[in-house]
Amino acid sequence: MSSIVLSLAGFLVLVCVLVTVHEFGHYWVARRLGFKVLRFSVGFGRPLWLRRSERSGTEYVFAAVPLGGYVKLLDEREGPVAPAELSRSFTRRPHWQRIAVLLAGPAANFLFAILLLAAMLLAYGTTELRPVQAAPLANSPAARAGVRAGDEVLAVNGQPVSSQAGVCVSLIEGLASTRPLTLQLRGSDGKQRQAQFSFASPAERRALTDPASAPECLGLQIQQLPVRAVLGEVMAGGPAQLAGLRSGDEILSIDNEPVRDFQALVAMVNAHPGDAIAVQYRRNGVTASTRVGVIAEMQDGVRIGRIKVRPSMLPEFPPGIERHSRPGPLKALAMAGTEAWAMTRFQVHMIWGMLAGEVSVKNLGGPISIAKYAGDSAAAGFATFFYYLVQVSLMLGFVNLLPIPILDGGQVLMQSIEWLKGSPLSERMQLAGQQLGIALVLLLLGLALYNDITRQFG
C-alpha cells in the first residue's frame, strides 16, 4: 500500500472514530437529560443506511462522506416546533443542562483517550528509556550547558522525570516560558549537579521550539550502542535497490568517507538530497562499489536525502537503560489518567506559548500533517496508531473547549452569559459571535495548512 493511500486511510479512520466518539458524548447526555434528538449521523451527505427509532423518534444514519458525524437536536431557532415538544427543545431546557450537553463531546474524547491508553498498557505494558545521556550534539544547547556522556537527567526545572520522553516534553514546556531552563543531573560517578541552558537571545530560544529544530531535544541523545551499517530491508523500487544493493550488504564508505555505523550512514545520506553518491560495500566477504542516486524528501520543512533502506537490527541499549512493566487494571487506569493529563497540559503550554510569541507557530499542524502522521503510525503497527489516536483525541477534546464561538467552548461561554444575564443574547450578538468564530477558525486552519504545505514542499 502506497504512503498516500495509507495516510488517507489512516486519516479517515482517525477522523471518523474520534468525531463519532465526540458526537456520541453529546448524544448520550442529551438523551439522558430529556432533550429531543432528531438525528445521530456517522458521516455527512446522502444517507447510505437510515433507521428511525419508533420510541424516541431519533434517526440513526450512516452517510456517504466518512469525515466525522453530527448530532441534531430539536431547536426552535431552526424551525417550528410542535407545542407538545417545546419542553424538549434545546432552548427550553435549563442552562445547566445545555452546558452539560455541550461539554459532553470533549469529555467523551478525554474518556475515550484514557480508556484506550489503559487498554494499551494492559495489552503491551510500558517500556521506558532511563534518561541516561550519550555525548550531546556538538555546539548544541545541551553541550553548552555542560551535559556529559553518562549523565542521567533527574529533573527539569525542579520537576522529576523518569524517562527520555519525559525529558523531551519537559524541556519543550520549559522553552515555552521565559524562566531559566535547568537540569538536575547525576553523573556516572554518582554525584549530582545542576546544568543551566543558555540562549543568545529570546529569538534563539523560540527557534528551538520549531519542530524542525528540536527533534533531538536540544542536543540531548539517549545512550545507545552503535548499530552496524548493515542493510536489513532494501525497499523495492528505491534508490538502493535500483543501484544493486541487497539486504545483508555492509556499507563501508560513502564518497570515500568511512561509515562508522548505521546512524552515520543515515546522516551522510541525509546530507546529499538529489545527488549521486559513490557507495562502497561488502557482500559475502567481497568488496564492491556502486553509485546511488539519492532522492530528496521534505521532513519538517527540511530537504533531506533518502535511499530507502532500514537497518538489520534495532538499536541496542546498555544494560539497565530499558525498563519494562505490565500494570494491573487499576494501575493501568491511573497511569492512563496521569499520562492523559500530562499530554493535555503540554498542549495547553504549547497553545499559550504560541499566543504569547514564545513558541514557534510552525508547531500548528493541519489535516495534511495529521494524515501523514496517521499513515506513518498505521505503517508502524497497531500500537503506534492507537497511541496517535489517543493524542489526537485529547487534542480534539482540548481544542473544542477553547472559548471560540462555533466551538463547544464558545457555546458554553455564550450559554453561561445568557444564564447570568437572565435572558437570551440578541440575534445580532449571536450572529457577530458566529462570524468571529468562523473567522478565527479559518485563520487557524489557513495557518495550519500553510505549515503543512511548507513542511511537505519546503
Side-chain angles (χ1 to χ4, degrees):
M1 186 182 292
S2 71
S3 59
I4 294 177
V5 173
L6 191 60
S7 293
L8 180 60
F11 179 75
L12 290 177
V13 171
L14 183 145
V15 170
C16 196
V17 168
L18 295 186
V19 176
T20 300
V21 166
H22 181 94
E23 296 301 328
F24 181 79
H26 293 310
Y27 162 82
W28 190 85
V29 172
R31 285 289 306 273
R32 294 302 176 276
L33 292 178
F35 290 73
K36 172 80 170 183
V37 181
L38 299 177
R39 174 175 283 195
F40 177 43
S41 177
V42 177
F44 296 95
R46 183 173 61 86
L48 300 177
W49 177 88
L50 186 150
R51 177 180 173 272
R52 188 175 187 275
S53 171
E54 295 296 333
R55 186 169 62 88
S56 66
T58 302
E59 292 181 340
Y60 299 94
V61 175
F62 283 97
V65 183
L67 291 175
Y70 64 92
V71 170
K72 185 176 181 181
L73 303 179
L74 184 67
D75 193 328
E76 58 192 300
R77 295 172 299 182
E78 298 181 1
V81 175
E85 297 281 9
L86 276 175
S87 64
R88 302 181 66 193
S89 172
F90 182 84
T91 52
R92 298 297 181 100
R93 305 302 296 176
H95 282 90
W96 72 266
Q97 292 187 359
R98 302 183 214 173
I99 291 172
V101 170
L102 291 167
L103 291 176
N109 284 121
F110 290 127
L111 181 61
F112 174 80
I114 291 170
L115 293 177
L116 179 56
L117 194 53
M120 290 172 60
L121 289 171
L122 285 171
Y124 302 107
T126 177
T127 300
E128 290 184 337
L129 298 178
R130 283 179 55 220
V132 178
Q133 305 303 308
L137 298 177
N139 301 317
S140 67
R144 295 199 301 267
V147 178
R148 299 191 291 264
D151 284 344
E152 180 173 5
V153 182
L154 304 177
V156 177
N157 280 357
Q159 296 296 317
V161 291
S162 60
S163 67
Q164 183 72 4
V167 171
C168 293
V169 171
S170 296
L171 282 172
I172 295 173
E173 285 184 345
L175 286 169
S177 71
T178 56
R179 294 183 301 158
L181 188 58
T182 60
L183 299 181
Q184 187 69 28
L185 303 171
R186 179 166 56 212
S188 54
D189 57 1
K191 295 181 180 178
Q192 294 190 22
R193 69 182 194 283
Q194 194 173 75
Q196 182 166 321
F197 287 90
S198 61
F199 306 98
S201 66
E204 182 197 17
R205 180 170 182 156
R206 184 170 58 253
L208 287 168
T209 65
D210 188 318
S213 301
E216 285 85 22
C217 298
L218 303 171
L220 294 174
Q221 299 189 106
I222 191 69
Q223 188 182 76
Q224 62 186 47
L225 300 178
V227 175
R228 289 176 60 208
V230 176
L231 304 184
E233 180 184 359
V234 178
M235 299 179 199
Q241 188 200 50
L242 295 176
L245 294 173
R246 301 178 190 168
S247 177
D249 290 347
E250 181 176 7
I251 307 302
L252 304 177
S253 70
I254 290 180
D255 289 339
N256 296 318
E257 183 178 348
V259 176
R260 300 186 311 276
D261 50 43
F262 199 88
Q263 290 86 345
L265 169 64
V266 171
M268 294 163 78
V269 171
N270 285 354
H272 290 88
D275 296 338
I277 56 176
V279 177
Q280 186 182 49
Y281 62 94
R282 182 185 295 123
R283 180 186 299 163
N284 299 325
V286 178
T287 299
S289 62
T290 186
R291 292 193 70 80
V292 180
V294 182
I295 62 174
E297 291 185 355
M298 298 301 298
Q299 178 176 293
D300 293 329
V302 179
R303 190 168 178 262
I304 61 171
R306 295 284 198 221
I307 60 172
K308 300 297 182 179
V309 297
R310 290 195 177 100
S312 61
M313 62 187 77
L314 295 174
E316 298 178 35
F317 299 101
I321 292 294
E322 288 186 283
R323 294 184 294 207
H324 184 79
S325 64
R326 189 179 291 274
L330 292 179
K331 187 175 181 182
L333 192 60
M335 291 173 64
T338 300
E339 187 167 351
W341 166 247
M343 290 183 193
T344 305
R345 187 186 64 189
F346 178 73
Q347 292 168 356
V348 172
H349 274 273
M350 295 297 286
I351 294 292
W352 180 255
M354 282 188 273
L355 292 174
E358 295 166 351
V359 173
S360 172
V361 294
K362 293 181 181 179
N363 286 281
L364 192 64
I368 297 176
S369 290
I370 293 174
K372 181 181 183 301
Y373 295 141
D376 290 346
S377 62
F382 285 114
T384 306
F385 181 72
F386 288 158
Y387 192 75
Y388 186 59
L389 206 62
V390 166
Q391 293 177 307
V392 179
S393 187
L394 292 172
M395 180 179 69
L396 181 61
F398 165 66
V399 168
N400 266 281
L401 288 176
L402 295 176
I404 298 175
I406 81 169
L407 297 181
D408 292 329
Q411 292 299 310
V412 167
L413 178 62
M414 295 178 73
Q415 292 295 329
S416 299
I417 293 172
E418 280 192 9
W419 196 359
L420 293 172
K421 182 171 174 282
S423 61
L425 294 173
S426 67
E427 290 186 9
R428 182 180 177 184
M429 181 69 71
Q430 292 183 45
L431 180 61
Q434 289 176 353
Q435 292 174 337
L436 175 62
I438 291 171
L440 287 173
V441 169
L442 288 177
L443 177 64
L444 291 173
L445 182 60
L447 179 58
L449 283 171
Y450 174 79
N451 287 342
D452 284 352
I453 293 169
T454 55
R455 285 192 192 107
Q456 297 301 315
F457 306 108

